[in-house]
Amino acid sequence: MMSLKEFENRNVSEGAYYKVDIPDYPETGWEKAKQVFSRAIKGELFVGLYIVMREMIKFDIHTVQYPKEKLPIGPRYRAVHEMQRLWESGTERCIGCGLCEKICISDCIRMDTKIDEQSRKQVTEYTINLGRCIFCGYCAEVCPELAIVHGGRYENTSEQRAHYIGYEDMLTPFDMAVKGQVAEYPGFGAITPHEDERVKSTPLAY
Amino acid sequence: MVNFKINGRSVTAERGDTIINVARREDIYIPTMCYIEKTSPCASCRLCSVEVEGHDGFVLSCNTPPTEGIHVITDSESLKTERTNIMRMYDVNHPLECGVCDKSGECDLQNKTLEFNVGQQYFSAKDQPRKIENWGLINYDPSLCILCEKCTHVCNEVIGDDALDLLFGGYNSKVIPKNAETLDCTFCGECIAVCPVGALVSSDFQYSANAWELSKIPATCAHCSAGCALEYEVKHAGIDSPGEESIYRVSNNFEYATLCGAGRFGFDFANRASKDEAAFDAALSALQNAEAIRFSSVISNEETMILNGLKAKLGLKLFNEDARHMQTFMNAYANVSGKRHYSATLETLKASDGIIIIGSRIATDNPGVRYATTTAARHNGAKVVYMHPLEDALLQNTVTQFIKYEVGTEEGVLALLAQTLLVGKELTQREQAFFDGLDEGYLNAETNVGDDELALLVKQFMRSKSKTLVVGSDLLAHARAENIAHLVAMIEKYSDFTVLVVPTEVNTLGVSLIADLDIDVASKNVVGYNAKGSFVISALGDGNLNVPALNQQEGTVVSIDKRLLPTNVALSFDGYTLNDLANALGVYAKNTIDYTAALPVESGFQAVEFDSLENFYSAKGADIRGYTLNEVTAKRGGHPEDVDELPEFNGAVIYHVNPVLQFNAFTAKTVQLEKDNNLYGSASFAAAARLGDGDAVAFEYAGETVRRIFKLDDTLKGTVALHPTFDLGLNVTSGYRFEHVNFYERE
Ligand code: SF4
Ligand code: SF4
Ligand code: SF4
Ligand code: SF4
Ligand code: SF4
């Protein structure tokens, strides 16, 4: 592991360089002929062939069968947004505060809100223009409700560059939420570990 | 003048100044939560506490006048502790709902909580359920309320409704409608504006946008001649209407100015249209073939200039009876006073301590005048005499004497009033002869204004130092308007009264100073510009050619203060404008606002370009909007003529007056404003007109049949009913506002 101190040493030439052992390029006709000869006769080709055959027989195939198969991606990867629901109740987490819309550096989030029957703020529509989104993660970071997070869905195909994504597309399905099938998202925008140790409690004298 | 020191700096206080006034003038910061410049101090937050050297404890800078030689300290460790503790108290159990709160981003509590770094709750109190109230246009959430009392102060001291009260009950305290189950007021919405938190909010606006998303477009209210400064707050119209914008709310500089509900809630009168070539061509040929253009005073000065240009170019006539009445009145006035403009403004009215209002149902005709009168009454103890055939319940908290006169006898009333106010003044022989020739017995009998009433009036004003006579539109459109103007001008000239004439519509005064008007004759071939005609060019969206409304164009209007005020484009307009028509007809200007600098100097306008006009109140409250028209001297030579025989209005009479917050077809278009178009009358009116509560009636008005439901109103007296005209579209007349009608076809 490198320590910070090593990073701070900007004097990179000090012992940091070493020579790679590369033979000189052939120059004369004789040298060239020698190279061709040695490469052809040495049978490196068969080494490769042998490995492929061996793995084929062992059926230990390393090719990822995309799109049937996908590699797992890191939790901090920032792909297409997801809108979370609360556990158990399944209530949408987004309160419509508009902070994501405000902070969005490429101005691609837009939302409509109104007052609902219970005098609460309701998000009626919410879109992200994925053609403009630079997946910076600011929206997920600013969200006070852990409502908007970056998911792992990185494939986007559309007939148009300005492909909009609507609220419904991003929202966790209701049944998944109530069945407890949504894990708290560990990735970008999630709370940091040990958060509850830092919460200050309100004094209650009653 | 008092000399003292603040933080070591020598300062001086004027009469009536408190410490905070002086500090703010000197740019010395004292934090406050409940202070508002235009009312008396609420003194509820105690954040403005300061120390005075040599004295123990704190004093409240908002309601303490300085004394000679004291040294005030506005910042110290102990003050900081005191203020921080106050903020900690405010934050106890305050809902953590900034995330959704309408006020977030412009909330005083939010700002001060951050300023004093209150990051957690230090005290506790058991919270209780608090019910969110829905009061029509206003929602109230008691759990957000910090009980600063700004709303109650402003409602009582500036508006005059006195509709809000504080229910004291310790931790249960809240704001409630005064003596009523639910809020029943004129819905000016000023309480919403002053509320430092999100407790009082517009129910239409609530949760529809955040403060920081809205662009503020400084403008001038388009509904009445008070010409209030307001800001249209504009945002995209929503995800489903890409490319479109809409106005979400209207706000104002509540610290120094006041809006009525029409300005605040009646903002959605914009006209949406695209360029319609066929209609444009039709309009061109209509104008070319027309005898005249009839237009309303809901128009900018620049558009009026264009109409003048069209008149000259095409040899048309220009009809606008409303502005012509104003012209006639002010010409006659100038003939006597020697000045083109009347002398008072809303500011001088506010500063008056004696006010006579005559010839207007002022509370609904011009709320700006009403608020100035209320302010004068509450803050200067002004005596307010209201002279009108009908009493007005909205003025009951303000008026100290009501003098009822008979409908139509305004000339006689003015003669009596002038006589009373000009006793012992040095008049010209002719003027003296006029008063000597008055048949007082006849006038008293016909006007129903008694000597005792006038004597009481004089008595009321004995101690008043600055007095204002407010003259309303009943007098402007009166058959004897000229002579009435002579009498009003005499009062202005000889007594210590200043005079405020209330122009009927938003720009009646401007039009009267610009337009070259003709007497409206019933010609067939008239192009109407927001007025009736055979071809109608209208911003209401119902005419033959669409033009932009006043919140969709740049331009200026002249307010009651004789001030030229700029207004701006809140929403764009894609169709044709009057200037496009004029350009096609050879009256050329690149933009409509090119006319601003060309407004007639002889009427008091200045050669100032539109783009150099400002439109704001300074941080210290100076009104920096447009410019005040220059005073123009006029030739004298007018004198009062003998009072004509006073007309009698017997039987059922209706008075054309709009209900609270309604003014014209533009306010009628808006969504939030109440549209009560019933005919209201007293029991004696019902008897005279043989009507019963709830009867459907019909009658002739402006040449057309109007149908109304008659409603009994027990707050009214006499045989005059109130008839609204706001919903009649362009079919309104500008004649004398009282009319004798025959009801027919009762169903
Ligand atoms: S920041 Fe979060 S809670 Fe706020 S509007 Fe965006 S998604 Fe909703
Ligand atoms: S009133 Fe102010 S502090 Fe309270 S929730 Fe609203 S924005 Fe936040
Ligand atoms: S809307 Fe105006 S009149 Fe009504 S309670 Fe508020 S301040 Fe008073
Ligand atoms: S409603 Fe608003 S203005 Fe009225 S007392 Fe409460 S916080 Fe103050
Ligand atoms: S209608 Fe008149 S009083 Fe009301 S806000 Fe507009 S200009 Fe002011």
Side-chain angles (χ1 to χ4, degrees):
Chain A
M1 279 278 275
M2 270 175 112
S3 70
L4 187 63
K5 203 153 170 236
E6 284 157 78
F7 272 115
E8 279 167 356
N9 178 17
R10 298 294 157 98
N11 225 349
V12 283
S13 66
E14 273 174 23
Y17 291 111
Y18 63 92
K19 284 225 157 105
V20 187
D21 191 17
I22 299 173
D24 293 337
Y25 288 107
E27 271 168 26
T28 62
W30 171 238
E31 277 170 357
K32 281 179 188 162
K34 234 169 51 179
Q35 192 186 48
V36 169
F37 193 70
S38 84
R39 282 188 180 171
I41 299 297
K42 254 182 154 178
E44 278 173 340
L45 176 69
F46 298 100
V47 178
L49 266 177
Y50 160 72
I51 292 171
V52 171
M53 296 300 254
R54 187 188 68 195
E55 295 302 313
M56 212 173 86
I57 292 160
K58 276 165 75 182
F59 276 96
D60 185 13
I61 299 169
H62 291 262
T63 312
V64 176
Q65 298 295 311
Y66 183 84
K68 280 193 202 140
E69 239 178 33
K70 288 173 195 168
L71 286 176
I73 53 166
R76 302 196 72 76
Y77 191 77
R78 305 193 294 264
V80 174
H81 314 72
E82 282 173 11
M83 279 286 184
Q84 306 280 83
R85 286 181 188 268
L86 289 178
W87 293 354
E88 294 168 359
S89 74
T91 311
E92 292 161 27
R93 286 193 193 174
C94 175
I95 54 168
C97 70
L99 291 183
C100 49
E101 187 184 26
K102 172 69 185 164
I103 205 165
C104 179
I105 204 158
S106 40
D107 200 10
C108 62
I109 300 183
R110 182 169 275 198
M111 56 197 299
D112 290 349
T113 55
K114 67 162 205 208
I115 186 166
D116 73 2
E117 295 76 40
Q118 286 128 36
S119 293
R120 298 170 74 103
K121 194 171 193 173
Q122 186 196 347
V123 180
T124 51
E125 283 195 63
Y126 185 110
T127 61
I128 301 182
N129 181 344
L130 293 182
R132 293 181 59 132
C133 178
I134 58 162
F135 299 94
C136 61
Y138 279 9
C139 51
E141 187 149 356
V142 79
C143 179
E145 300 296 316
L146 306 179
I148 193 165
V149 293
H150 277 288
R153 184 161 78 82
Y154 47 80
E155 306 117 315
N156 306 291
T157 44
S158 170
E159 287 162 6
Q160 293 196 11
R161 237 176 98 80
H163 180 93
Y164 284 86
I165 183 163
Y167 192 55
E168 292 300 311
D169 312 321
M170 290 182 278
L171 197 57
T172 313
F174 184 72
D175 359 324
M176 275 179 74
V178 286
K179 283 187 204 142
Q181 287 170 352
V182 258
E184 189 60 48
Y185 193 74
F188 208 88
I191 45 171
T192 50
H194 318 297
E195 202 64 73
D196 40 357
E197 286 159 26
R198 289 194 254 155
V199 172
K200 288 175 194 157
S201 56
T202 302
L204 290 179
Y206 48 89
Chain B
M1 284 239 294
V2 180
N3 296 303
F4 68 109
K5 279 186 178 169
I6 305 180
N7 300 342
R9 195 192 314 172
S10 298
V11 292
T12 44
E14 307 287 329
R15 227 178 77 103
D17 272 345
T18 56
I19 296 174
I20 202 168
N21 293 143
V22 183
R24 291 209 167 169
R25 208 161 51 224
E26 297 285 333
D27 282 329
I28 297 167
Y29 175 64
I30 299 177
T32 59
M33 279 297 279
C34 72
Y35 188 74
I36 175 163
E37 190 78 30
K38 68 184 176 191
T39 71
S40 60
C42 307
S44 66
C45 77
R46 314 190 63 84
L47 217 55
C48 72
S49 299
V50 290
E51 281 173 0
V52 176
E53 245 176 36
H55 292 262
D56 282 344
F58 304 128
V59 292
L60 294 186
S61 62
C62 69
N63 63 2
T64 315
T67 46
E68 188 71 32
I70 58 168
H71 186 189
V72 175
I73 309 289
T74 64
D75 207 3
S76 70
E77 270 316 304
S78 50
L79 279 172
K80 199 160 178 215
T81 315
E82 167 83 359
R83 289 171 185 161
T84 307
N85 278 333
I86 293 170
M87 287 320 298
R88 287 176 177 175
M89 296 296 285
Y90 269 136
D91 284 332
V92 171
N93 289 353
H94 188 83
L96 288 172
E97 61 175 64
C98 299
V100 294
C101 185
D102 273 345
K103 206 70 184 181
S104 185
E106 51 181 20
C107 173
D108 285 356
L109 186 64
Q110 223 176 30
N111 294 345
K112 290 280 177 303
T113 298
L114 289 171
E115 185 180 328
F116 289 95
N117 200 13
V118 184
Q120 67 186 83
Q121 183 156 324
Y122 295 85
F123 314 109
S124 74
K126 197 173 166 105
D127 209 351
Q128 23 243 313
R130 294 166 205 265
K131 192 171 150 275
I132 295 175
E133 303 285 348
N134 183 296
W135 295 327
L137 297 179
I138 299 170
N139 285 346
Y140 173 64
D141 185 346
S143 46
L144 295 173
C145 176
I146 57 162
L147 301 167
C148 68
E149 298 176 42
K150 275 192 195 179
C151 53
T152 54
H153 273 248
V154 91
C155 187
N156 176 20
E157 292 175 28
V158 178
I159 307 302
D161 270 34
D162 201 8
L164 294 174
D165 207 355
L166 218 59
L167 178 74
F168 288 102
Y171 194 54
N172 262 330
S173 307
K174 60 179 175 184
V175 172
I176 50 164
K178 196 168 195 164
N179 309 325
E181 274 298 297
T182 182
L183 190 63
D184 180 20
C185 67
T186 55
F187 285 101
C188 63
E190 198 62 20
C191 48
I192 297 176
V194 300
C195 183
V197 290
L200 285 168
V201 292
S202 149
S203 51
D204 174 77
F205 174 75
Q206 195 171 14
Y207 297 160
S208 66
N210 293 307
W212 56 82
E213 300 174 82
L214 297 158
S215 329
K216 293 176 176 239
I217 315 281
T220 298
C221 177
H223 297 321
C224 92
S225 57
C228 300
L230 51 75
E231 276 167 345
Y232 292 110
E233 301 208 353
V234 175
K235 192 183 90 163
H236 65 75
I239 287 169
D240 295 330
S241 339
E244 256 179 64
E245 297 225 300
S246 51
I247 301 174
Y248 278 72
R249 66 171 170 187
V250 159
S251 56
N252 64 322
N253 187 333
F254 54 82
E255 205 72 42
Y256 304 106
T258 305
L259 287 185
C260 85
R264 191 179 311 279
F265 302 115
F267 49 75
D268 45 337
F269 55 91
N271 195 18
R272 310 245 185 205
S274 52
K275 285 198 159 57
D276 179 349
E277 304 277 347
F280 186 73
D281 292 340
L284 287 182
S285 65
L287 280 168
Q288 270 157 338
N289 300 323
E291 278 169 52
I293 301 175
R294 184 181 288 121
F295 65 107
S296 88
S297 303
V298 186
I299 189 172
S300 70
N301 294 326
E302 289 72 14
E303 289 177 293
T304 314
M305 289 290 281
I306 297 177
L307 293 180
N308 262 357
L310 288 176
K311 171 174 179 166
K313 183 87 182 178
L314 304 175
L316 302 163
K317 287 180 173 170
L318 285 186
F319 297 160
N320 180 334
E321 284 302 277
D322 161 51
R324 198 179 59 81
H325 291 315
M326 184 85 194
Q327 242 171 25
T328 320
F329 189 90
M330 286 314 295
N331 284 344
Y333 179 93
N335 262 340
V336 171
S337 75
K339 287 177 285 183
R340 189 89 239 113
H341 307 309
Y342 47 86
S343 45
T345 64
L346 291 179
E347 273 316 304
T348 63
L349 180 63
K350 256 184 227 170
S352 304
D353 53 4
I355 298 170
I356 301 177
I357 302 171
I358 184 165
S360 170
R361 199 164 170 88
I362 201 69
T364 42
D365 284 356
N366 192 314
V369 174
R370 178 193 175 204
Y371 302 155
T373 310
T374 311
T375 307
R378 296 294 188 284
H379 295 165
N380 321 332
K383 302 280 182 251
V384 181
V385 178
Y386 182 50
M387 305 179 77
H388 201 256
L390 289 157
E391 212 165 338
D392 187 350
L394 289 180
L395 296 177
Q396 70 189 19
N397 291 333
T398 323
V399 164
T400 45
Q401 186 189 5
F402 172 61
I403 300 181
K404 178 187 150 77
Y405 58 79
E406 291 301 324
V407 175
T409 65
E410 286 84 351
E411 190 189 7
V413 178
L414 251 299
L416 288 172
L417 187 66
Q419 193 187 35
T420 315
L421 298 178
L422 301 183
V423 168
K425 304 285 179 204
E426 237 173 83
L427 308 176
T428 63
Q429 253 182 356
R430 236 172 142 160
E431 287 161 348
Q432 197 55 56
F434 166 79
F435 287 121
D436 294 343
L438 283 184
D439 180 352
E440 276 174 59
Y442 169 76
L443 292 183
N444 287 140
E446 289 302 310
T447 59
N448 209 0
V449 177
D451 283 339
D452 46 340
E453 284 174 293
L454 293 169
L456 179 63
L457 178 146
V458 171
K459 210 173 127 207
Q460 293 228 31
F461 290 145
M462 278 221 302
R463 284 161 168 219
S464 301
K465 290 204 181 62
S466 87
K467 291 174 271 189
T468 310
L469 172 66
V470 180
V471 172
S473 59
D474 295 4
L475 309 187
L476 303 183
H478 196 275
R480 299 282 297 164
E482 282 180 87
N483 206 31
I484 293 175
H486 288 150
L487 293 163
V488 172
M490 273 176 63
I491 296 178
E492 204 266 303
K493 188 170 153 197
Y494 292 111
S495 75
D496 47 2
F497 273 84
T498 54
V499 169
L500 186 68
V501 180
V502 185
T504 337
E505 297 271 11
V506 55
N507 200 22
T508 304
L509 184 54
V511 174
S512 78
L513 293 172
I514 297 165
D516 180 8
L517 297 171
D518 302 280
I519 297 176
D520 196 342
V521 287
S523 320
K524 282 243 160 54
N525 203 356
V526 175
V527 171
Y529 190 73
N530 287 325
K532 219 156 103 170
S534 46
F535 186 95
V536 176
I537 302 171
S538 162
L540 288 161
D542 55 359
N544 305 90
L545 177 71
N546 283 302
V547 284
L550 272 183
N551 59 2
Q552 295 172 288
Q553 44 175 311
E554 287 181 317
T556 58
V557 295
V558 180
S559 75
I560 189 171
D561 289 342
K562 301 151 287 173
R563 204 181 177 108
L564 177 116
L565 300 171
T567 190
N568 280 308
V569 180
L571 295 178
S572 62
F573 179 75
D574 300 328
Y576 289 107
T577 64
L578 183 61
N579 195 39
D580 295 331
L581 286 168
N583 282 344
L585 292 169
V587 178
Y588 187 77
K590 185 151 182 280
N591 296 307
T592 308
I593 50 164
D594 293 349
Y595 288 100
T596 312
L599 291 167
V601 205
E602 58 278 15
S603 299
F605 291 97
Q606 301 171 12
V608 178
E609 295 286 342
F610 180 84
D611 289 333
S612 42
L613 296 170
E614 299 287 6
N615 196 3
F616 66 101
Y617 286 85
S618 79
K620 290 172 191 168
D623 185 347
I624 311 181
R625 300 185 296 148
Y627 59 79
T628 304
L629 264 54
N630 292 335
E631 185 49 81
V632 182
T633 47
K635 221 173 70 209
R636 284 196 183 162
H639 49 80
E641 297 152 25
D642 287 343
V643 175
D644 213 11
E645 192 180 323
L646 298 178
E648 279 187 46
F649 280 70
N650 292 329
V653 172
I654 59 171
Y655 181 45
H656 304 304
V657 65
N658 285 313
V660 177
L661 306 191
Q662 285 294 351
F663 293 92
N664 50 36
F666 290 97
T667 54
K669 244 179 102 171
T670 62
V671 173
Q672 290 185 71
L673 302 182
E674 198 188 335
K675 290 161 204 73
D676 180 357
N677 64 358
N678 295 324
L679 179 71
Y680 284 97
S682 66
S684 42
F685 174 86
R690 278 186 248 120
L691 292 177
D693 191 28
D695 279 359
V697 296
F699 53 90
E700 289 293 320
Y701 169 73
E704 277 174 40
T705 306
V706 175
R707 283 161 215 282
R708 295 284 185 221
I709 305 292
F710 175 72
K711 288 269 165 80
L712 265 183
D713 183 344
D714 49 16
T715 63
L716 294 174
K717 292 183 197 122
T719 57
V720 180
L722 302 180
H723 172 238
T725 56
F726 70 93
D727 63 333
L728 299 177
L730 302 180
N731 194 41
V732 283
T733 58
S734 316
Y736 184 55
R737 292 170 67 187
F738 291 92
E739 231 181 309
H740 199 135
V741 291
N742 289 315
F743 295 111
Y744 64 89
E745 200 195 289
R746 289 175 207 141
E747 290 136 31

